[in-house]
Amino acid sequence: MASARSDIAPADARAASPSFIAHKILIAGGFGSGKTTLVGAISEVRPLRTEETLTTASIGLDDLTGVDGKTTTTVALDFGRITLGTKIVLYLFGMPGQERFSFMWDELAYGALGAVILADVRRLDDCFPSVNYFETLRLPFVVAVNCFDDSPMYEPEEVRLALDLDADVPLVLCDARDVASVKQVLITLVETIADRQPATAGRVR
Amino acid sequence: MSPDDKWRHRESGPVVRPYAVTGGRTAPADGDVLDLLTVIVATGQPAAAEDAARLTPEHRRLLALCRRQITLADLASDIALPLGVVRVLLADLTQLGAITVVRQRPPDQRTGNDVLQEILNGLRAL
């Protein structure tokens, strides 16, 4: 019966010491705020499908005409992967910010280091659910205002006021299409996460 | 058109209902819901012939992808099946002893400053 065994691969690790360590960062924001663009600026964007049980939250939003008995709906997520050094892989997960997707936020946020909330100044209220969620979760986050070409110019302080952000939440301006800009947003986030660490061992600089 | 593409329409996605490939099961057999970044690897243990005969093509494709350590998110994306479906199939493979979870770090341990420093250095060097 050798053929039955042929597709069982030799493992590259027996008691399996990790060949890389995966870390998660969330990219949240409202519909059209530029989440996919941001992920795509710094890594390859890969699609991920989930089948979610329909809840009353989607009634009236998802068109179910002609699909009587359909009880699940497909939610498409994007994610990107950045390899840092030899052992660290940073995963960026796009998190749909609309309230009706809140049933999947906990799963996405599980184990995350922190989050970037992408804000579009034309629709700042789209950020409220994400801001509330991360505040409640006590997950470190930064707000990155995506500067669209035709968006009205606001001072960062005005945006901070409108979002009612705590003083220790960084607010940065960014261009989600630009790799240097996205890099700076992520660096700001990781610095913020480090600042929230208990001051036991060594400082991050 | 490769055999994998046969039941997949460019616009609408697969023609087969997602949970058809799990035989209609929507929950993992062991009840464990794996996190997106759970890392999995093939154990290399040969399955008993009767078990191996029960594996579906999807099981086999997943097992092949697990030759190297890989996250659940990468697996689901590579195999283009919904997360929930992949979780069910992985639980089957775990029960057969064909794959195992690679422990990343002790549970509930906070990410230390040394790790954050390494991430920062890595980002700055991009």
Side-chain angles (χ1 to χ4, degrees):
Chain A
M1 290 306 231
S3 64
R5 300 177 172 201
S6 60
D7 58 2
I8 309 291
D12 74 343
R14 287 199 166 53
S17 70
S19 62
F20 65 95
I21 302 289
H23 292 286
K24 186 195 287 179
I25 284 176
L26 303 174
I27 311 296
F31 180 75
S33 59
K35 298 187 291 288
T36 304
T37 307
L38 183 146
V39 175
I42 202 155
S43 74
E44 187 193 351
V45 182
R46 310 179 66 212
L48 185 64
R49 281 190 302 135
T50 69
E51 282 286 318
E52 301 291 347
T53 308
L54 282 182
T55 62
T56 50
S58 64
I59 287 170
L61 291 165
D62 294 319
D63 183 9
L64 299 178
T65 316
V67 283
D68 295 344
K70 183 175 155 75
T71 53
T72 62
T73 190
T74 301
V75 182
L77 303 168
D78 290 315
F79 74 103
R81 187 171 49 181
I82 311 169
T83 303
L84 302 174
T86 51
K87 284 207 71 140
I88 291 182
V89 184
L90 201 57
Y91 284 79
L92 307 180
F93 281 94
M95 178 169 134
Q98 297 92 307
E99 198 95 59
R100 69 185 182 104
F101 290 117
S102 59
F103 61 90
M104 59 192 304
W105 290 351
D106 286 348
E107 177 184 344
L108 279 169
Y110 177 83
L113 292 177
V116 174
I117 299 179
L118 257 185
D120 177 348
V121 286
R122 295 166 300 186
R123 289 172 300 177
L124 267 189
D125 51 342
D126 284 358
C127 298
F128 293 157
S130 312
V131 171
N132 288 339
Y133 179 68
F134 296 133
E135 279 179 352
T136 309
L137 211 60
R138 296 176 179 279
L139 189 75
F141 66 97
V142 301
V143 174
V145 178
N146 194 6
C147 297
F148 291 88
D149 292 337
D150 58 344
S151 53
M153 288 305 291
Y154 288 100
E155 291 301 319
E157 280 316 304
E158 292 178 275
V159 177
R160 172 181 293 282
L161 205 63
L163 287 176
D164 192 22
L165 293 180
D166 287 342
D168 60 350
V169 174
L171 185 133
V172 293
L173 304 179
C174 83
D175 179 345
R177 299 163 300 187
D178 179 59
V179 58
S181 179
V182 171
K183 211 173 98 170
Q184 192 51 51
V185 170
L186 294 177
I187 288 171
T188 305
L189 174 64
V190 179
E191 285 170 346
T192 305
I193 298 164
D195 285 346
R196 302 275 191 91
Q197 295 281 315
T200 42
R203 283 191 52 209
V204 176
R205 50 182 66 240
Chain B
M1 189 179 262
S2 80
D4 284 346
D5 294 335
K6 193 173 163 196
W7 297 109
R8 179 173 298 281
H9 186 269
R10 192 157 41 91
E11 298 294 327
S12 64
V15 181
V16 177
R17 286 274 190 114
Y19 284 96
V21 300
T22 65
R25 295 169 301 145
T26 58
D30 53 10
D32 261 2
V33 177
L34 298 178
D35 172 58
L36 287 167
L37 291 191
T38 304
V39 177
I40 295 144
V41 71
T43 57
Q45 270 176 35
E50 64 209 73
D51 289 335
R54 276 208 301 270
L55 294 181
T56 63
E58 287 77 17
H59 282 122
R60 290 170 199 277
R61 281 171 62 204
L62 279 174
L63 192 50
L65 289 168
C66 293
R67 269 180 209 142
R68 284 195 297 174
Q69 296 187 13
I70 183 167
T71 65
L72 170 60
D74 283 304
L75 275 174
S77 186
D78 283 353
I79 199 171
L81 286 173
L83 266 177
V85 172
V86 174
R87 284 193 175 109
V88 173
L89 298 175
L90 290 177
D92 296 342
L93 292 172
T94 304
Q95 288 200 325
L96 292 180
I99 58 168
T100 186
V101 168
V102 181
R103 178 75 72 81
Q104 290 266 292
R105 48 188 167 265
D108 298 329
Q109 186 175 307
R110 287 181 67 104
T111 306
N113 275 345
D114 46 345
V115 175
L116 293 173
Q117 185 70 64
E118 219 177 319
I119 293 175
L120 266 185
N121 295 346
L123 283 172
R124 287 179 180 137
L126 277 182

